[in-house]
Amino acid sequence: MSDNSKVTLGKTLRDARIAKGFTLDDLQQATKIQKRYLIAIEDQNFDELPGDFYVRAFIKQYADMVDLDGAELLKQFDSTLPSTQTQEYVDKVNESNPETRSQQRKVDDRYVQLRRTIPVIGIVIVVLVVLVGIWVAAAHNGNSGTEDNVDSSSVSVSGSSTKTSSSSSQSSSSKSSSKKKVAKTATFKKLSSTTSGSTWELKHASSKPKVSLSATSSAWMSVTISGATTWQGTLSTSTSHSLTIPSSATSVTFKFGNAPATKVKIDGKSFNFNSSTSTSSASSSSTTTSSQVQTVTLELK
């Protein structure tokens, strides 16, 4: 292991970051890795990271963010990296971290509670099935007795009623279809913008809008609904992510680490947050937001 090989890994990552136009602050915001750890990776000071277990994970996330092949980079410089630790090491890290222990304890409690609840639910379901079976049998016997006493004139009247009901049903279905055809589609209107993001207004969306996220190259992103982060991750050309906005939500905030490569659709309609105007009229004074790292907020109306 030579000093040159150690320098090569850090320099490779640093050069890729600079080529992408990222600062360390940009990378910290996009990857959620602390800036001091990013500096340690570039300087090959792996001892400053929280543990050998995280070294490879942080390097891969850093590499993917700057459009390098993280897996290939780890393989190329495998000999310069600390070896991964056993499960015993991970357990020790968890034992020394009160927050991790607390989270694990909550998971265990939920598991025990679930095991206790499943038998009760099973018994309730069996009872319901038996009751429904008895009710269906009784209803069938009652209908059979009634049908035995029906004369031909009643059958004729029933046939007429069936035709009338069918006609009413078709008319109602036709009206329902007409209403669906005139339903409005989602529209976006830009309210304000800065060099690092923009705020938009979303109108005419469904009660629970469907959001589809995709990317044309490696792109990190996160979704915050009404102040709570519901999802974050890195997408590539072969992956996508979908989620549903609750009807109670008043706003949705997207954070994009590689905005130009990110695609967003809401209720099947493209949300062109990178342009000065969207499918609906935006303010004529708005300017194009071209920053790679962007924060985009949608206010739901």
Side-chain angles (χ1 to χ4, degrees):
M1 185 187 310
S2 66
D3 291 340
N4 289 335
S5 62
K6 288 185 178 180
V7 173
T8 301
L9 174 60
K11 187 175 185 301
T12 299
L13 293 172
R14 184 186 295 111
D15 290 346
R17 171 177 63 79
I18 295 172
K20 295 292 293 182
F22 286 169
T23 64
L24 288 170
D25 291 329
D26 291 338
L27 208 59
Q28 174 180 248
Q29 181 181 6
T31 63
K32 304 304 179 183
I33 300 175
Q34 295 183 28
K35 183 177 178 180
R36 61 193 180 98
Y37 294 151
L38 296 173
I39 295 174
I41 290 173
E42 291 186 353
D43 292 342
Q44 297 290 138
N45 295 327
F46 298 135
D47 291 342
E48 296 184 10
L49 270 65
D52 294 345
F53 181 75
Y54 297 94
V55 172
R56 294 171 185 268
F58 284 0
I59 289 176
K60 186 177 186 305
Q61 190 173 2
Y62 186 130
D64 290 343
M65 192 63 208
V66 295
D67 287 345
L68 294 177
D69 188 332
E72 181 62 29
L73 194 68
L74 289 174
K75 181 178 179 181
Q76 179 181 354
F77 294 100
D78 181 70
S79 61
T80 68
L81 300 174
S83 60
T84 55
Q85 299 298 321
T86 63
Q87 184 60 40
E88 180 182 357
Y89 171 80
V90 178
D91 292 340
K92 288 182 178 179
V93 171
N94 290 340
E95 290 174 1
S96 63
N97 190 332
E99 182 178 355
T100 303
R101 289 203 308 273
S102 176
Q103 292 175 352
Q104 184 62 42
R105 190 178 300 111
K106 290 179 181 178
V107 172
D108 293 340
D109 291 342
R110 285 197 296 268
Y111 177 71
V112 172
Q113 185 176 6
L114 182 62
R115 289 187 59 185
R116 293 175 179 174
T117 305
I118 287 177
V120 177
I121 295 175
I123 294 173
V124 172
I125 292 175
V126 171
V127 172
L128 289 176
V129 169
V130 172
L131 292 176
V132 170
I134 295 172
W135 178 81
V136 170
H140 178 72
N141 291 335
N143 290 337
S144 297
T146 302
E147 289 173 358
D148 291 340
N149 297 323
V150 176
D151 58 17
S152 59
S153 61
S154 297
V155 173
S156 177
V157 172
S158 176
S160 176
S161 299
T162 301
K163 292 180 180 179
T164 303
S165 176
S166 177
S167 177
S168 299
S169 177
Q170 291 177 355
S171 176
S172 175
S173 177
S174 176
K175 290 180 181 179
S176 177
S177 298
S178 299
K179 289 181 180 180
K180 288 181 180 180
K181 290 180 180 178
V182 298
K184 295 182 179 180
T185 57
T187 58
F188 309 96
K189 180 180 179 182
K190 181 181 286 186
L191 302 178
S192 62
S193 65
T194 65
T195 56
S196 61
S198 55
T199 300
W200 298 71
E201 181 182 76
L202 171 62
K203 286 186 176 181
H204 309 310
S206 61
S207 60
K208 294 182 178 180
K210 306 289 185 181
V211 179
S212 177
L213 303 171
S214 59
T216 58
S217 63
S218 180
W220 179 92
M221 58 194 76
S222 69
V223 181
T224 300
I225 300 178
S226 298
T229 299
T230 59
W231 179 82
Q232 64 178 357
T234 300
L235 299 181
S236 64
T237 55
S238 61
T239 58
S240 62
H241 183 76
S242 298
L243 56 93
T244 300
I245 301 174
S247 57
S248 60
T250 58
S251 66
V252 181
T253 298
F254 302 94
K255 290 186 178 180
F256 303 120
N258 189 3
T262 301
K263 303 293 183 182
V264 180
K265 286 187 177 181
I266 298 180
D267 281 348
K269 190 167 186 179
S270 294
F271 174 28
N272 299 319
F273 60 88
N274 279 309
S275 62
S276 58
T277 59
S278 185
T279 50
S280 66
S281 59
S283 173
S284 59
S285 61
S286 297
T287 58
T288 300
T289 303
S290 59
S291 175
Q292 193 150 11
V293 178
Q294 288 190 35
T295 300
V296 179
T297 298
L298 267 179
E299 295 182 355
L300 280 60
K301 301 296 182 181

